[in-house]
Amino acid sequence: MRAVSLFASPLALLAGPVQAQDADCTSFKWPMNREMTAFKGEGLPSVASGATLPGVSEAVTLKLVPQDSVGYAVSPGRTPKHAPAYGGTFTLPPFAAADTYQVTLSDEAWVDVEQNGKTVKQSGFTGSHSCKVVHKSVRFPMAVGPATIEISDAASDTLKLEVLPKEQ
């Protein structure tokens, strides 16, 4: 029996690095390296529902509230699947130039972006149910001016978010 445990130990060491590489995080349609690095970081600022986000290119932890208590400017794009469901609204500082931005979430939730009283139609989506660091990233063409990110149907009352210019 002792010989088996000595033999199994090196195999276990070899298996560890393969699992630690987050192999399930390589199937996104576009690179997610920036977001994965940011989401793995410690001490991300917390932002409560109704507050203004610090800006583009800064990962944050969103503090969500029960979805039925959120006053959305535009109704969420889908009916909640989670019970209870959490959500929130978060204002972005005004965009100085029109461009496409990626809104990336660490966990399952629905994300809408509102600008000028209307929902901004997404221009791309990528996601993974098995990646433990990043769940999905959605691209939105943003106009000059402020915008609001609306999170709905989250299963938990916190999740990480980062808004970045589209990576080429």
Side-chain angles (χ1 to χ4, degrees):
M1 190 68 139
R2 186 158 176 80
V4 172
S5 67
L6 289 174
F7 182 71
S9 182
L11 290 178
L13 290 173
L14 290 175
V18 172
Q19 292 171 349
Q21 287 177 352
D22 292 322
D24 293 344
C25 296
T26 59
S27 62
F28 292 100
K29 293 178 188 174
W30 52 79
M32 299 302 297
N33 299 337
R34 300 176 297 174
E35 294 88 340
M36 288 183 63
T37 298
F39 288 175
K40 287 179 182 179
E42 306 244 346
L44 295 179
S46 291
V47 180
S49 178
T52 299
L53 295 169
V56 174
S57 301
E58 185 170 345
V60 297
T61 298
L62 301 180
K63 296 291 187 183
L64 306 174
V65 297
Q67 184 168 323
D68 58 4
S69 69
V70 178
Y72 294 106
V74 177
S75 295
R78 84 167 178 200
T79 305
K81 312 189 280 190
H82 296 102
Y86 296 91
T89 61
F90 304 88
T91 304
L92 278 166
F95 291 98
D99 202 352
T100 299
Y101 289 85
Q102 295 172 188
V103 177
T104 303
L105 304 177
S106 62
D107 297 288
E108 185 177 356
W110 187 258
V111 60
D112 289 303
V113 175
E114 179 269 325
Q115 198 170 38
N116 300 317
K118 298 179 182 173
T119 300
V120 178
K121 185 176 179 182
Q122 67 168 303
S123 61
F125 166 85
T126 188
S128 171
H129 289 287
S130 55
C131 181
K132 304 291 186 232
V133 182
V134 171
H135 181 72
K136 72 176 174 182
S137 185
V138 185
R139 289 181 171 169
F140 296 94
M142 302 305 299
V144 173
T148 301
I149 293 178
E150 298 183 342
I151 303 294
S152 60
D153 198 27
S156 171
D157 64 354
T158 61
L159 61 84
K160 295 174 185 174
L161 171 134
E162 189 168 30
V163 179
L164 293 167
K166 177 179 100 171
E167 191 168 25
Q168 301 301 327

